[in-house]
């Protein structure tokens, strides 16, 4: 049997399920550790037989994860070989044993973490190195002299406890740094199961701190172990599914990991990972935080409200207060905690958990005001909402919330789970209340705008139905319920129109004004758009999108305020400088930040040639506009994503000149670039559907609007616009948007005669050409 086949056999033997599915992470790891123990001990015995140590003691210890008995399939095998030999004896006596032990493990493909140290060397390292100290806390003797092993382990524990304050402070700093670098397990599209905030290392660190006197509630240990098992099972399944080491659960590996780990599908897997990560993060932060609070000076209770006191830095129910008699105490305590930026005490959380019953009917008097007050605290409310959710309290107040808890969205566009996204949106909305007449409706609308995502079907329609039920239970008047329903219905209206439609077209402004209906609702939707986008992720909001949304809102506000829609179609492009260049008949290429403007004699295919050059230089286009005059001049403006490395404008400008002179083989160059281009990684679990071409006849008063959806690829904008040009169409305006792996491109086109595309046969040919271009 080869060394590699030994390791493969061990991995198979560790799983006792006939179907190969891993149903217990800890069970698998411990069986693998036991199998590996036998193997390592046998190698040690052979090494000692071949190279006897005559002048001292020698012991082999398992440390780190292997020492804990948590050996994942492709994890490091951490071994420590200790001795009490004199320095001059080490090279001749210990080194041959070490080599005879390490080399067979390396030959088997094991990633080995190994060290050879004297007892004194080990004690000195443990005193000054946190990693070595924590690795020894769970060390196990494997072979050799048992007394020597016990001595090393005991010395390590003594040193750890004697440097308690230093080690705890350093450990806390290390935890924070690691969490910030790796991000949240619960909210990353591709979570780091080990080092992320809420990951395996957080639990291990808390237990190391407990070895140094940090007090942890027994029930917290039970909950931590349960969540730890979920993440460990996922890590084992990830290793087996990919046949390699790794702690980051990448999107392309999630389906296979779910199969190997026994989850129904990847959505269920990631939901379980998110829930476990959230609970670990909360419990770890709670216990570290309470350790800091306990270190401070105690103070007498300070009354905050009727039945609510501030006690030793935490919000507690006062003596005699009862959530059975006054259910609103749960929200009163939450508001107090948010306003004082402190925790709700665990004793109070436990009492609320025991005393609060579900609220399926009309809310108690005053409860809605308390919820609004909590949401208006902004981001200070989020840790408090998390605490309520961890004790199953928030879903008791709002039973419709339950399907959204820890529901992952599984794409690079969305940063958070659905429930956390809604809390973040409400917190962002609280910072924008100065822009609206009804702050209460703004934060409630933000809280509920995506509440339908946990339900089957279209999330907007489901959310509207839910809010129609929730609103009356909150005691809201029918007019306010109608406004909340409208906010759910139209929460994507402004951003979608702003980035996909021509804002200078009367039809665009008129349709949005009709849908919104009033300035009050427009202001609510405008603020909700910003709050929602900021809560979605970094790619969902930026200066360009903010500028477009603000521009759209200003135009619609003019109409809703009584102005004529024709007065709301002012043009931003071409500006005065561009018009002057066109009037002079000059050829010009100008770059200003992320805008590239090209002025040239009008010619067929000019737009696609420019798009092709930009693609050749690796630039993503996110918006474009075109304009031509009666003197035969044309101007095209492209908004690009400027890479962090910058761009070579001189090179781009030279290629633009060659392309417009028909001296650049754009198609051939794009094919060559595609062959050498590194394929983009998958960024969303749900793959884009088949390409679609839609004609929107009501979207413009003076052009035919064509919307194209397709998987993004190199040169796609060039190919689409080339196909449009070859069919004799003139592009008046273009909006280009990339969402994850899909492009949503909208073109306002006219025929060569300046008219609309109405002929059905012509439309069929346009659709055929566009589908071919994106296939």
């Amino acid at each position: 049997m080869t060394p590699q086949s030994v390791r493969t056999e061990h991995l198979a033997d560790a799983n006792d399920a006939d179907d190969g599915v891993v149903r217990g992470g800890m069970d698998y790891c411990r069986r693998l550790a036991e199998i590996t123990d036998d193997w390592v001990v046998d190698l040690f015995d052979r090494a000692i037989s071949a190279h006897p140590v005559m002048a001292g003691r020698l012991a082999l210890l398992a440390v780190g994860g292997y020492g804990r008995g948590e050996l994942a399939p492709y994890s490091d095998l951490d071994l420590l070989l200790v001795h009490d030999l004199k320095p001059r004896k080490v090279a001749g006596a210990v080194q041959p044993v070490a080599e005879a032990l390490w080399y067979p493990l390396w030959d088997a493909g094991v990633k080995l973490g190994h060290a050879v140290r004297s007892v004194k060397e080990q004690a000195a390292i443990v005193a000054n190195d946190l990693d070595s100290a924590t690795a020894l806390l769970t060390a196990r003797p494997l072979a050799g002299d048992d007394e020597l092993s016990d001595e090393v382990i005991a010395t390590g524990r003594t040193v750890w406890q004697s440097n308690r304050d230093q080690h705890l402070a350093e450990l806390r700093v290390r935890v924070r740094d690691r969490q910030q670098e790796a991000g949240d397990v619960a909210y990353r599209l591709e979570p780091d199961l080990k080092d992320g905030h809420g990951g395996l290392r957080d639990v291990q660190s808390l237990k190391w701190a407990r070895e140094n006197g940090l007090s942890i509630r027994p029930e917290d240990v039970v909950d931590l172990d349960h969540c730890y098992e979920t993440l460990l099972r996922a890590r084992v399944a990830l290793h087996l599914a990919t046949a390699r080491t790794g702690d980051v659960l990448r999107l392309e590996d999630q389906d296979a990991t779910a199969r190997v780990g026994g989850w129904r599908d990847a959505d269920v897997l990631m939901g379980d990972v998110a829930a476990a990560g959230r609970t670990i993060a909360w419990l770890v932060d709670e216990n570290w935080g309470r350790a800091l609070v306990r270190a401070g000076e105690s103070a007498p209770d300070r009354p905050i409200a009727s039945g609510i006191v501030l006690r030793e830095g935490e919000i507690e129910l006062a003596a005699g207060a009862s959530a059975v008699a006054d259910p609103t105490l749960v929200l009163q305590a939450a508001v107090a905690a948010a306003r004082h930026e402190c925790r709700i005490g665990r004793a109070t959380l436990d009492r609320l958990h025991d005393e609060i019953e579900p609220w399926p009917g009309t809310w108690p008097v005053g409860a809605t005001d308390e919820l609004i007050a909590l949401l208006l605290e902004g981001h200070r409310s989020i840790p408090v909402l998390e605490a309520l959710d961890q004790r199953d309290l928030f879903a008791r107040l709002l039973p419709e919330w339950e399907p959204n808890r820890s529901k992952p969205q599984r794409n690079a566009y969305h940063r958070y789970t659905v429930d956390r996204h809604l809390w973040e949106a409400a917190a962002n909305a609280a910072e924008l209340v100065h822009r609206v007449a009804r702050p209460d409706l703004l934060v409630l609308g933000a809280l509920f705008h995506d509440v339908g995502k946990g339900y089957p079907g279209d999330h907007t329609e489901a959310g509207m139905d839910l809010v129609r039920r929730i609103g009356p239970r909150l005691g809201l008047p029918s007019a306010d319920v109608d406004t909340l329903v409208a906010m759910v219905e139209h929460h994507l209206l402004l951003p979608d129109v702003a980035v996909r439609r021509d804002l200078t077209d009367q039809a665009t402004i008129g349709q949005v004004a009709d849908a919104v209906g009033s300035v009050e609702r427009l202001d609510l939707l405008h603020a909700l758009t910003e709050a929602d986008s900021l809560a979605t992720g970094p790619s969902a909001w930026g200066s360009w999108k903010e500028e477009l949304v603000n521009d759209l809102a200003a135009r619609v506000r003019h109409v809703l305020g009584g102005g004529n829609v024709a007065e709301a179609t002012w043009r931003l492009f071409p500006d005065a400088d561009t018009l002057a260049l066109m009037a002079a008949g000059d050829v010009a290429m100008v770059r200003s930040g992320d805008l590239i403007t090209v002025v040239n004699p009008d010619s067929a295919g000019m737009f696609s040639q420019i798009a092709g050059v930009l693609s050749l230089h690796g630039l993503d286009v996110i918006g474009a506009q075109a304009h031509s005059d009666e003197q035969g001049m044309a101007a095209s403006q492209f908004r690009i994503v400027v890479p962090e490395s910058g761009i070579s404008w001189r090179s781009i400008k030279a290629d633009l000149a060659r392309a417009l002179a028909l001296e650049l083989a754009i198609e051939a160059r794009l094919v060559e670039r595609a062959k050498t281009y590194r394929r983009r990684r998958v960024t969303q679990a749900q793959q884009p559907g088949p390409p679609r071409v839609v004609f929107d006849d009501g979207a413009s008063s003076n052009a035919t609007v064509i919307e194209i959806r397709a998987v993004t690829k190199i040169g796609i904008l060039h190919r689409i616009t080339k196909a449009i040009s070859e069919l004799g169409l003139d592009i008046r305006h273009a909006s280009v948007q990339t969402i994850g792996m899909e492009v949503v491109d909208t073109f306002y086109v006219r025929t060569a005669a300046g008219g609309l595309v109405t002929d059905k046969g012509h439309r069929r040919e346009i659709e055929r050409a566009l589908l071919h271009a994106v296939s």
Side-chain angles (χ1 to χ4, degrees):
M1 182 177 292
T2 65
Q4 290 82 0
S5 63
V6 170
R7 183 64 169 164
T8 302
E9 183 178 298
H10 290 171
L11 297 180
D13 290 345
N15 190 5
D16 58 2
D18 294 336
D19 56 5
V21 173
V22 175
R23 294 182 174 85
M26 187 64 75
D27 287 344
Y28 179 96
C29 289
R30 285 175 176 164
R31 282 194 296 271
L32 182 58
E34 291 170 359
I35 293 170
T36 305
D37 285 354
D38 294 339
W39 181 33
V40 171
V41 169
D42 180 63
L43 292 174
F44 179 85
D45 290 343
R46 294 186 184 190
I48 289 294
S49 296
H51 309 282
V53 178
M54 308 300 293
R57 297 179 298 170
L58 196 64
L60 181 65
L61 289 82
V63 297
Y66 182 33
R68 290 191 302 273
E70 294 174 18
L71 187 60
Y74 291 92
S75 291
D76 293 3
L77 196 65
D78 295 321
L79 294 171
L80 173 64
L81 191 60
V82 290
H83 62 86
D84 61 0
L85 278 71
K86 294 180 180 180
R88 67 176 184 273
K89 298 284 188 178
V90 173
V94 180
Q95 204 60 39
V97 175
E99 292 178 356
L101 180 58
W102 307 150
Y103 276 98
L105 295 171
W106 284 326
D107 291 341
V110 173
K111 188 177 180 183
L112 191 60
H114 61 94
V116 178
R117 295 182 185 129
S118 70
V119 175
K120 290 183 179 180
E121 289 171 341
Q122 181 62 25
I125 288 175
V126 167
N128 297 288
D129 181 72
L130 183 66
D131 291 334
S132 297
T134 56
L136 204 59
L137 288 176
T138 53
R140 293 185 295 116
L142 286 177
D145 191 287
D146 290 339
E147 290 184 359
L148 182 60
S149 295
D150 293 342
E151 179 183 336
V152 170
I153 294 173
T155 300
R157 288 185 175 277
T158 300
V159 171
W160 174 256
Q161 292 167 359
S162 64
N163 295 332
R164 178 183 185 277
D165 292 341
Q166 174 189 334
H167 281 318
L168 283 180
E170 187 179 352
L171 186 60
R172 182 62 178 141
V173 171
R174 186 81 64 86
V175 167
R176 286 176 177 169
D177 291 346
R178 174 175 42 74
Q179 290 172 347
Q180 290 177 359
E181 182 176 349
D184 288 283
V185 169
Y187 307 125
R188 282 290 178 96
L189 173 66
E190 299 179 330
D192 188 327
L193 300 173
K194 181 179 178 182
D195 288 333
H197 184 203
L200 297 167
R201 186 66 82 193
D202 270 356
V203 180
Q204 295 161 9
S205 297
L206 197 61
K207 291 186 175 181
W208 294 333
R210 185 176 60 169
E211 293 284 344
N212 238 343
L214 183 68
S215 177
I216 305 176
R217 290 161 46 123
E219 55 268 37
D220 286 358
V221 175
V222 172
D223 289 341
L224 286 168
D225 287 344
H226 175 74
C227 296
Y228 192 91
E229 164 62 27
T230 297
L231 297 189
L232 190 61
R233 175 181 161 205
R235 186 175 184 236
V236 169
L238 172 64
H239 281 205
L240 292 175
T242 59
R244 63 175 183 269
T245 187
D247 300 308
V248 177
L249 186 49
R250 300 195 182 280
L251 185 61
E252 60 263 33
D253 298 327
Q254 289 170 11
D255 288 321
T257 300
R259 285 193 299 271
V260 174
W263 280 275
R264 186 178 73 243
D265 55 38
D267 285 342
V268 177
L269 160 67
M270 298 311 295
D272 285 354
V273 167
R278 283 180 65 178
T279 297
I280 290 173
W282 183 71
L283 288 173
V284 166
D285 292 348
E286 280 275 304
N287 281 280
W288 277 113
R290 283 195 161 78
L292 297 176
V293 169
R294 283 192 291 268
E297 296 182 2
S298 61
D301 289 357
R302 179 155 67 94
I304 301 298
S306 178
I308 306 291
V309 298
L310 182 64
R311 178 180 301 149
E312 295 185 357
E314 297 183 343
I315 294 297
E316 300 280 8
L317 294 182
S322 169
V324 175
D326 182 5
T328 67
L329 281 174
V330 62
L331 290 173
Q332 291 183 52
V335 172
R339 286 178 178 169
H340 290 81
E341 297 186 69
C342 62
R343 294 177 175 80
I344 301 175
R346 291 296 290 276
T348 291
L349 284 174
D350 290 343
R351 282 185 59 189
L352 292 171
H353 177 268
D354 294 338
E355 295 177 7
I356 292 291
E357 298 292 335
W359 295 0
T362 303
W363 274 28
V365 175
T368 299
D369 292 340
E370 295 293 344
L371 173 63
I372 292 168
L374 176 60
L375 297 177
L376 287 173
E377 289 300 316
H379 286 89
R380 290 187 296 270
S381 70
I382 291 179
V384 182
L385 288 165
E386 182 67 38
L388 296 182
D389 193 64
Q390 287 295 331
R391 301 302 287 149
D392 298 323
L393 290 167
F394 196 71
R396 294 188 192 180
L397 313 186
L398 284 168
E400 295 85 355
W401 192 261
E402 183 64 36
N404 293 298
R405 294 177 68 187
S406 298
K407 182 176 179 59
Q409 307 205 57
R410 301 193 65 213
N411 59 67
Y413 195 64
H414 289 88
R415 178 190 301 169
Y416 295 113
T417 54
V418 173
D419 52 351
R420 180 60 181 266
H421 167 74
L422 293 173
W423 291 342
E424 291 283 343
N428 293 335
E431 299 177 3
L432 304 174
V433 295
H434 61 282
R435 290 170 28 180
V436 300
R438 294 290 303 275
D440 55 339
L441 294 182
L442 176 59
V443 293
L444 287 175
L447 182 68
F448 295 135
H449 76 276
D450 271 345
V451 72
K453 282 193 171 179
Y455 294 79
D458 180 83
H459 85 276
T460 297
E461 293 179 2
M464 293 167 64
D465 291 339
L466 290 167
V467 171
R468 288 190 186 100
R469 299 203 304 265
I470 294 171
R473 294 212 322 275
L474 299 182
L476 300 177
S478 59
D480 288 354
V481 175
D482 290 342
T483 296
L484 288 178
V485 171
M487 292 176 71
V488 175
E489 179 181 10
H490 299 306
H491 71 276
L492 295 175
L493 176 66
L494 296 187
D496 282 355
V497 170
V499 300
R500 297 180 190 174
R501 292 294 183 262
D502 180 6
L503 305 188
T504 68
D505 196 301
Q506 291 187 33
T508 298
I509 306 305
Q511 288 172 1
V512 175
D514 290 342
V516 174
S518 70
V519 172
E520 180 182 287
R521 285 190 181 178
L522 174 65
D523 289 341
L524 287 168
L525 287 170
H526 189 186
L528 175 59
T529 295
E530 182 171 340
D532 179 23
S533 298
L534 288 170
T536 297
S539 62
W541 192 250
S543 59
W544 167 70
K545 187 173 181 179
E546 182 179 16
E547 178 184 327
L548 290 176
V549 170
N550 291 344
D551 185 26
L552 172 60
R555 295 171 190 266
V556 174
R557 181 174 290 104
H558 176 81
V559 175
L560 293 175
N564 191 303
V565 69
E567 300 169 349
T569 57
W570 59 84
R571 283 195 171 273
L572 301 178
F573 177 82
D575 58 16
D577 291 340
T578 304
L579 287 173
L581 290 171
M582 295 175 69
D586 293 335
V587 174
M589 302 165 198
V590 181
R591 180 201 169 202
S592 176
D594 61 351
L595 289 175
I596 293 177
T597 304
V598 178
V599 176
N600 198 66
D602 198 5
S603 61
M606 172 180 164
F607 194 98
S608 68
Q609 289 161 353
I610 300 171
V613 170
L614 298 180
S615 182
L616 283 176
H617 286 266
L619 300 177
D620 290 329
V621 176
I622 57 175
Q625 298 182 79
H627 177 77
S628 59
D629 61 22
E630 295 179 356
Q631 286 70 44
M633 293 297 293
S636 300
Q637 187 177 77
F638 292 76
R639 188 178 293 271
I640 62 170
V641 177
V642 180
E644 293 183 1
S645 58
I647 64 175
S648 173
W649 175 236
R650 178 179 296 182
S651 176
I652 294 172
K653 192 173 180 179
D655 281 349
L656 284 172
R658 294 171 63 194
L660 294 173
L662 304 181
E663 296 175 356
L664 190 68
I666 294 176
E667 284 287 343
R669 286 176 174 266
L670 284 173
V671 171
E672 291 171 2
R673 185 169 189 273
K675 290 179 179 178
T676 59
Y677 185 72
R678 185 176 180 180
R679 184 180 179 184
R680 291 185 179 182
R681 291 189 60 239
V682 175
T683 57
Q684 61 192 59
Q686 184 175 358
Q687 297 301 300
R692 286 179 290 159
V693 176
V694 177
F695 292 85
D696 190 342
D697 292 318
S700 174
S701 56
N702 55 23
T704 297
V705 177
I706 306 173
E707 184 174 282
I708 303 145
R709 289 176 176 263
V711 175
T712 183
K713 61 183 69 174
I714 293 174
I716 191 169
L717 180 60
H718 164 73
R719 294 189 177 93
I720 289 173
T721 52
K722 182 180 179 184
I724 290 174
S725 174
E726 289 175 347
L727 286 162
L729 301 177
D730 181 40
I731 298 173
R732 180 177 66 75
H733 175 88
S735 297
V736 182
Q737 185 181 25
T738 301
I739 304 175
M741 300 168 62
E742 186 177 42
V743 294
V744 184
D745 294 351
T746 307
F747 299 92
Y748 286 65
V749 301
R750 297 190 184 105
T751 64
L756 304 181
V757 181
T758 57
D759 181 74
K760 292 183 179 180
H762 193 186
R763 287 192 172 198
R764 284 195 295 270
E765 291 305 302
I766 293 172
E767 181 178 8
R768 178 177 286 110
L770 292 175
L771 290 176
H772 175 73
V774 301
S775 64

